[in-house]
Amino acid sequence: MAVSNNITACVTLLALICAVPVIASGIWFASAQGEECARLARWPVAILGGLLLLAALAGFVGAYWNRRRLLAFYLFAMASLVVLLIALLVFAFAVTRGSGAYPVLGRAYDDYHLDGFSMWLRGYVSDDPGRWEKIRACLAVSDTCKKLARQAAFTNAEQFYQSHLSPLQSGCCKPPSVCGFSYVSPTVWTAAARPAADPDCGLWSNDPGQLCYECESCKAGLLETLRDQWHKANIALVVATVALVILYLVGCSAYKNAQAAAIFSRYKY
């Protein structure tokens, strides 16, 4: 009985440790979205990680002090939370599978279009005009385009074309390449040579408070940023999920052995 309980205590302690990267990924994802002015599913991962931590703590206490009810609660709660975590990962991979990035001939950066993203992500920036207005206002006062405008490294158009812009900078701080604008500075461009090539061509403005914040390309750049953040967070979540599943199976086996040992000792004599 003691050996099985010790194994279970070790397993729950490791599960408790595995909950930490889930919480860290959730907090990082939420803070990264705050920097990019987005509010898309910011806290579910961190909350789920906190619940995993509490369940593992209950399991550790139950195993260390031989509290069967706490162990039973740990096994039930951990199974439910791991299933939720797997469902969240499947959902995240499904909605972030497509990309709106399109290479541009002669450019080191990509242009971005909404049609490459999943319907769910497109709905986030298109279904509610009020939501995008808040995001647009936040982007306008952020350093996303201001930093680009202040960079002295771009002395000519060719240097700018060979720079590696972030999705937000490419989508929001410059006009779409297909419009044929002529480069003056990173956020100042002359009249478009092909104004009818894309609806965003008519939305571009050299006004620092306007730029391309109303463009579809800006919305696509934001979604590409969120997609990249999800993919980075998913790496830690996948590793933690695999570890939690293995630890849960080991914990179940140790718990069953402890139960069998208790029954055997009860009827031994």
Side-chain angles (χ1 to χ4, degrees):
M1 181 73 173
V3 174
S4 295
N5 273 3
N6 288 337
I7 294 173
T8 307
C10 292
V11 166
T12 54
L13 181 60
L14 290 173
L16 192 148
I17 294 172
C18 287
V20 174
V22 179
I23 298 173
S25 297
I27 293 174
W28 172 83
F29 185 63
S31 61
Q33 283 198 40
E35 293 175 0
E36 308 298 349
C37 302
R39 299 292 186 273
L40 177 62
R42 293 185 70 188
W43 294 109
V45 176
I47 292 172
L48 189 56
L51 293 175
L52 286 167
L53 187 70
L54 291 175
L57 184 60
F60 178 76
V61 171
Y64 193 82
W65 280 282
N66 195 22
R67 298 291 189 268
R68 294 183 185 176
R69 289 185 179 180
L70 276 179
L71 279 174
F73 168 77
Y74 158 75
L75 292 173
F76 173 78
M78 189 60 71
S80 303
L81 292 172
V82 168
V83 168
L84 284 175
L85 185 57
I86 292 173
L88 180 63
L89 282 171
V90 171
F91 174 76
F93 277 115
V95 300
T96 61
R97 183 176 54 184
S99 172
Y102 292 88
V104 182
L105 185 63
R107 307 287 192 270
Y109 52 78
D110 293 329
D111 274 3
Y112 297 89
H113 303 280
L114 281 177
D115 55 9
F117 296 100
S118 66
M119 290 287 293
W120 190 81
L121 280 180
R122 291 205 302 267
Y124 174 71
V125 294
S126 300
D127 289 350
D128 185 355
R131 180 190 296 140
W132 179 252
E133 182 58 31
K134 293 178 181 178
I135 296 174
R136 190 207 69 78
C138 177
L139 288 172
V141 299
S142 71
D143 285 337
T144 301
C145 295
K146 292 177 182 177
K147 286 182 179 178
L148 190 64
R150 290 194 297 262
Q151 287 187 20
F154 306 128
T155 57
N156 55 57
E158 190 58 31
Q159 287 183 336
F160 179 80
Y161 294 152
Q162 297 308 311
S163 63
H164 295 278
L165 305 180
S166 70
L168 273 177
Q169 288 176 331
S170 178
C172 304
C173 307
K174 68 168 189 60
S177 302
V178 71
C179 301
F181 281 85
S182 297
Y183 175 87
V184 177
S185 74
T187 57
V188 177
W189 301 71
T190 59
R194 298 180 294 276
D198 191 296
D200 285 348
C201 299
L203 296 176
W204 168 259
S205 171
N206 287 328
D207 180 357
Q210 183 69 26
L211 299 181
C212 216
Y213 295 129
E214 294 291 349
C215 299
E216 296 291 290
S217 64
C218 188
K219 298 177 181 179
L222 177 71
L223 293 185
E224 185 66 23
T225 302
L226 293 176
R227 178 178 175 274
D228 290 344
Q229 291 170 357
W230 261 113
H231 283 186
K232 290 176 182 177
N234 282 348
I235 295 173
L237 294 179
V238 168
V239 173
T241 301
V242 171
L244 285 169
V245 169
I246 294 172
L247 291 172
Y248 179 78
L249 294 175
V250 174
C252 280
S253 177
Y255 180 76
K256 288 179 180 179
N257 289 339
Q259 292 291 89
I263 295 172
F264 178 77
S265 63
R266 186 182 307 168
Y267 295 101
K268 184 176 181 179
Y269 303 103

